[in-house]
Amino acid sequence: MRDIMGMMGKVKEMQSKMEQMQAEIAELTAEGKSGGGLVTVVLSGKGEMKSLKIDPSLFKEDDAEILEDLVVAAHKDAKDKVEAIAAEKTRALTAGLPIPPGFKMPF
Protein backbone atom coordinates (compact mmCIF):
# COMPACT_ATOMS: atom_id res chain seq x y z
CA MET A 1 0.00 0.00 0.00
CA ARG A 2 2.88 2.38 0.76
CA ASP A 3 4.20 1.85 -2.77
CA ILE A 4 0.89 2.91 -4.28
CA MET A 5 0.75 6.01 -2.08
CA GLY A 6 4.32 6.86 -3.02
CA MET A 7 3.50 6.39 -6.69
CA MET A 8 0.40 8.60 -6.38
CA GLY A 9 2.54 11.30 -4.79
CA LYS A 10 5.01 11.09 -7.68
CA VAL A 11 2.15 11.30 -10.19
CA LYS A 12 0.84 14.47 -8.52
CA GLU A 13 4.34 15.92 -8.46
CA MET A 14 4.80 15.12 -12.17
CA GLN A 15 1.42 16.68 -12.97
CA SER A 16 2.42 19.85 -11.16
CA LYS A 17 5.73 19.98 -13.01
CA MET A 18 3.95 19.41 -16.35
CA GLU A 19 1.57 22.29 -15.67
CA GLN A 20 4.49 24.53 -14.77
CA MET A 21 6.36 23.49 -17.92
CA GLN A 22 3.30 24.16 -20.09
CA ALA A 23 3.05 27.66 -18.62
CA GLU A 24 6.75 28.25 -19.29
CA ILE A 25 6.41 27.05 -22.89
CA ALA A 26 3.38 29.30 -23.44
CA GLU A 27 5.53 32.27 -22.39
CA LEU A 28 8.34 31.40 -24.83
CA THR A 29 8.94 33.34 -28.00
CA ALA A 30 11.01 32.34 -30.99
CA GLU A 31 12.11 34.42 -33.95
CA GLY A 32 12.25 32.91 -37.41
CA LYS A 33 13.93 34.57 -40.36
CA SER A 34 14.06 34.03 -44.09
CA GLY A 35 15.54 35.77 -47.07
CA GLY A 36 18.67 36.64 -45.15
CA GLY A 37 16.65 38.49 -42.52
CA LEU A 38 14.34 40.31 -44.95
CA VAL A 39 11.33 38.64 -43.33
CA THR A 40 11.10 38.01 -39.57
CA VAL A 41 8.30 36.22 -37.70
CA VAL A 42 7.99 36.00 -33.91
CA LEU A 43 5.85 33.16 -32.51
CA SER A 44 4.71 32.38 -28.99
CA GLY A 45 5.28 28.99 -27.42
CA LYS A 46 1.74 28.09 -28.45
CA GLY A 47 2.50 28.88 -32.09
CA GLU A 48 0.61 32.18 -32.20
CA MET A 49 2.19 34.77 -34.46
CA LYS A 50 3.17 37.76 -32.32
CA SER A 51 4.81 39.90 -34.99
CA LEU A 52 5.79 40.01 -38.63
CA LYS A 53 8.44 42.32 -40.06
CA ILE A 54 9.04 42.69 -43.78
CA ASP A 55 11.87 44.71 -45.27
CA PRO A 56 10.38 47.49 -47.45
CA SER A 57 12.60 46.44 -50.37
CA LEU A 58 10.28 43.45 -50.86
CA PHE A 59 7.18 45.57 -51.58
CA LYS A 60 7.17 45.29 -55.35
CA GLU A 61 4.23 43.99 -57.35
CA ASP A 62 6.26 41.44 -59.27
CA ASP A 63 7.80 40.08 -56.02
CA ALA A 64 4.51 39.17 -54.29
CA GLU A 65 5.02 35.42 -54.69
CA ILE A 66 8.57 35.63 -53.35
CA LEU A 67 7.34 37.63 -50.34
CA GLU A 68 4.62 35.06 -49.64
CA ASP A 69 7.19 32.25 -49.73
CA LEU A 70 9.52 34.17 -47.41
CA VAL A 71 6.73 34.73 -44.87
CA VAL A 72 5.90 31.02 -44.88
CA ALA A 73 9.60 30.11 -44.52
CA ALA A 74 10.12 32.53 -41.62
CA HIS A 75 7.01 31.15 -39.88
CA LYS A 76 8.31 27.59 -40.28
CA ASP A 77 11.72 28.61 -38.92
CA ALA A 78 10.15 30.14 -35.80
CA LYS A 79 7.79 27.18 -35.35
CA ASP A 80 10.67 24.71 -35.57
CA LYS A 81 12.54 26.68 -32.90
CA VAL A 82 9.54 26.74 -30.55
CA GLU A 83 9.04 23.00 -31.00
CA ALA A 84 12.73 22.31 -30.34
CA ILE A 85 12.66 24.32 -27.11
CA ALA A 86 9.44 22.62 -25.98
CA ALA A 87 10.90 19.18 -26.79
CA GLU A 88 14.03 19.95 -24.79
CA LYS A 89 12.00 21.11 -21.78
CA THR A 90 9.82 17.99 -22.04
CA ARG A 91 12.88 15.73 -22.28
CA ALA A 92 14.37 17.34 -19.19
CA LEU A 93 11.14 16.90 -17.23
CA THR A 94 10.43 13.34 -18.32
CA ALA A 95 13.99 12.03 -18.09
CA GLY A 96 13.90 8.37 -17.22
CA LEU A 97 10.23 7.85 -18.06
CA PRO A 98 9.42 5.30 -20.76
CA ILE A 99 7.80 7.70 -23.24
CA PRO A 100 7.60 6.46 -26.85
CA PRO A 101 9.79 8.28 -29.41
CA GLY A 102 7.90 11.00 -31.28
CA PHE A 103 5.26 11.34 -28.56
CA LYS A 104 4.04 14.94 -28.37
CA MET A 105 2.66 16.46 -25.23
CA PRO A 106 -0.87 17.94 -25.51
CA PHE A 107 0.05 21.63 -25.93
Side-chain angles (χ1 to χ4, degrees), residues 1-62:
M1 190 65 147
R2 290 184 71 193
D3 289 342
I4 291 175
M5 295 305 288
M7 189 170 69
M8 292 302 291
K10 294 227 183 256
V11 168
K12 286 192 180 286
E13 181 182 332
M14 177 65 84
Q15 181 180 12
S16 174
K17 287 181 180 180
M18 288 294 288
E19 289 171 358
Q20 180 182 0
M21 183 187 66
Q22 287 174 340
E24 288 175 13
I25 289 172
E27 295 297 318
L28 289 174
T29 59
E31 183 177 270
K33 294 185 179 194
S34 66
L38 294 173
V39 176
T40 303
V41 171
V42 176
L43 294 182
S44 73
K46 290 185 174 184
E48 298 167 344
M49 189 182 300
K50 294 295 186 179
S51 70
L52 169 66
K53 293 180 185 168
I54 301 171
D55 189 279
S57 68
L58 293 172
F59 292 118
K60 299 176 187 166
E61 284 185 39
D62 55 339

